[in-house]
Amino acid sequence: MPPTKLRMLIIEDLETVQGTWRREVDDFNAETSINFDASYVGSMSEAVSALTSGTFDCGIVDLRLPAGPCGTETEATQGNIVITEITSRAAIPIAVVSGYPAELSLDFQSIPIKKFAKDAENYRAALDWLATHQELMFNIRSAQEAIARETARLFHGSLWPRWGASGALPSEPPASRRASMLRQIASHLTEHLALPSSGTPRFSPTEFYFKPSIRERLHTGDLLKLELGLFIILTPQCNIANEYPSHLIVAPCIEKRDWADILAQLKHQNLGKRESAEKKLRDFSNHATALSTHFLPPCDQDGPWLVDFKNCQTIPCNIELLKPKRFASLAPQFLPNLTQRFAAYMGRIGQPDIDIEELARQLALLPKS
């Protein structure tokens, strides 16, 4: 079976350098199990056109490019504009191969870009770097194809019957209709993919968080790295959405120090110890623990934690101070369970202690059946 192709867009204005790239890509494909299917454009406008009409798995960008195919004036601004277009249209890794790599905009420091100086050795180095992300590229493509399939299925089976009905969507303005349709598609997809019957594998702990957070405002379920440790915001979102309160309710997240012991038991030769460790793991993940705690799985190299409801506290809602300390946010699928357990913990009433001896005496006075 031939190797699956990875669609690559190479943006380079010099024909001699394009020729070098063609040879390098052909040699790379011949020597490895990866097959880069490269398309070539030579200007900013051609790159934008290619991104509009096609889909790609990765990109290679020169920074000094002409604005159009007949242009001669090359500027790093054009290359940075191309990268902006790529990052707004395609979820792909980008290799910058330029004679002036330092001209890459500082706005791109946090995205998957790697810079290479334009010389003989770095053409292959850029291809090698992109090849290390082949699984990511295949997974992104597979996810996009799955989203398209599910969107089509939901459109014909659920969404179109509603949209075709009179008054199903806001009548105006058009922006409201587009926003409504987008939210409905997203919510239907999220719900469907979470159903056990959909055939989707169980959730991975990596799905538990947005890291870094994608939300502009602070939110219930945000994790804050403060001086006293890690805390999670428990203030109801309805109290945060439009106007921040003066204080936030937070709970400490206590890191489980015995995690290594549980992991070691999972690999133990003794079947009983393995089963015991699996039960502990299952109990934690299903929150079969005290109501005063809530389990949070690891987030990259940190955690796991137990949210300690017993030691909730309030902190001043200083936005300028707190937002830079936001470590991650719980994803929407996992937030309701946290708030439900917190509400159950806070809503328990209990009752005064009963005199057990008096209770026994009263029971003894009951008629014999």
Side-chain angles (χ1 to χ4, degrees):
M1 178 178 178
T4 303
K5 291 182 178 180
L6 287 168
R7 300 159 299 196
M8 172 188 289
L9 179 63
I10 297 180
I11 307 160
E12 168 60 57
D13 62 309
L14 297 177
E15 291 185 4
T16 55
V17 179
Q18 282 194 14
T20 301
W21 276 120
R22 293 178 194 277
R23 292 190 297 274
E24 291 288 344
V25 170
D26 287 344
D27 291 346
F28 188 88
N29 290 343
E31 297 168 9
T32 70
S33 60
I34 299 172
N35 190 342
F36 284 124
D37 181 16
S39 299
Y40 298 84
V41 295
S43 68
M44 180 190 71
S45 62
E46 290 175 315
V48 173
S49 177
L51 291 165
T52 303
S53 59
T55 56
F56 300 94
D57 300 303
C58 58
I60 293 176
V61 182
D62 184 18
L63 288 179
R64 292 198 174 183
L65 296 167
C70 298
T72 57
E73 194 73 23
T74 61
E75 296 182 7
T77 305
Q78 316 296 350
N80 283 306
I81 291 174
V82 167
I83 295 173
T84 299
E85 289 290 330
I86 294 175
T87 56
S88 66
R89 297 170 183 266
I92 62 175
I94 305 166
V96 169
V97 183
S98 171
Y100 307 90
E103 294 179 341
L104 179 67
S105 172
L106 296 177
D107 294 339
F108 306 129
Q109 288 183 333
S110 62
I111 63 177
I113 289 181
K114 190 171 178 64
K115 297 185 294 185
F116 298 88
K118 188 183 287 186
D119 58 45
E121 294 182 355
N122 280 337
Y123 294 107
R124 178 58 182 256
L127 296 174
D128 285 334
W129 178 76
L130 289 170
T132 63
H133 302 291
Q134 61 172 317
E135 183 179 359
L136 169 66
M137 290 185 274
F138 284 134
N139 288 342
I140 289 293
R141 185 199 300 180
S142 175
Q144 291 169 336
E145 292 170 350
I147 288 172
R149 288 194 302 271
E150 289 302 321
T151 300
R153 190 187 68 79
L154 291 168
F155 173 80
H156 293 289
S158 175
L159 298 176
W160 172 248
R162 288 199 66 212
W163 293 348
S166 175
L169 290 173
S171 58
E172 58 182 8
S176 296
R177 292 198 296 273
R178 289 193 294 269
S180 177
M181 292 166 72
L182 178 60
R183 284 193 296 266
Q184 288 184 60
I185 290 171
S187 62
H188 276 68
L189 283 173
T190 299
E191 179 67 16
H192 175 72
L193 293 174
L195 295 174
S197 60
S198 68
T200 305
R202 293 178 179 177
F203 281 89
S204 162
T206 56
E207 300 175 60
F208 218 86
Y209 305 97
F210 294 151
K211 183 189 177 187
S213 178
I214 62 174
R215 300 181 176 117
E216 177 63 26
R217 296 175 61 84
L218 291 178
H219 196 281
T220 310
D222 281 354
L223 293 163
L224 306 173
K225 280 191 172 180
L226 306 179
E227 292 182 3
L228 296 178
L230 188 69
F231 290 80
I232 190 166
I233 296 177
L234 296 177
T235 300
Q237 188 54 30
C238 58
N239 288 1
I240 303 177
N242 298 318
E243 184 178 354
Y244 288 116
S246 61
H247 286 70
L248 294 173
I249 303 171
V250 298
C253 301
I254 310 303
E255 191 163 3
K256 280 193 62 60
R257 298 297 182 183
D258 60 345
W259 200 247
D261 295 337
I262 295 177
L263 295 180
Q265 288 184 357
L266 286 172
K267 301 177 182 178
H268 204 282
Q269 293 183 350
N270 184 285
L271 177 61
K273 290 188 176 182
R274 290 203 307 272
E275 291 178 343
S276 175
E278 288 174 0
K279 183 179 184 305
K280 289 181 182 178
L281 205 58
R282 194 176 300 108
D283 286 347
F284 279 122
S285 63
N286 292 328
H287 303 293
T289 56
L291 189 60
S292 60
T293 62
H294 182 83
F295 176 73
L296 297 180
C299 182
D300 295 340
Q301 303 302 313
D302 296 284
W305 305 273
L306 286 177
V307 178
D308 183 8
F309 296 143
K310 291 185 296 185
N311 289 295
C312 287
Q313 54 188 273
T314 61
I315 59 173
C317 188
N318 185 330
I319 304 305
E320 293 183 0
L321 174 66
L322 295 179
K323 282 189 67 174
K325 297 182 180 297
R326 181 164 55 184
F327 166 66
S329 299
L330 293 193
Q333 301 96 315
F334 303 97
L335 184 57
N337 193 228
L338 170 74
T339 57
Q340 180 187 38
R341 284 176 62 84
F342 178 55
Y345 173 76
M346 296 299 292
R348 73 200 192 290
I349 298 175
Q351 64 179 0
D353 287 342
I354 296 179
D355 186 323
I356 298 301
E357 293 183 358
E358 180 60 19
L359 177 61
R361 189 182 71 81
Q362 293 289 336
L363 293 174
L365 294 176
L366 294 176
K368 303 300 182 185
S369 55

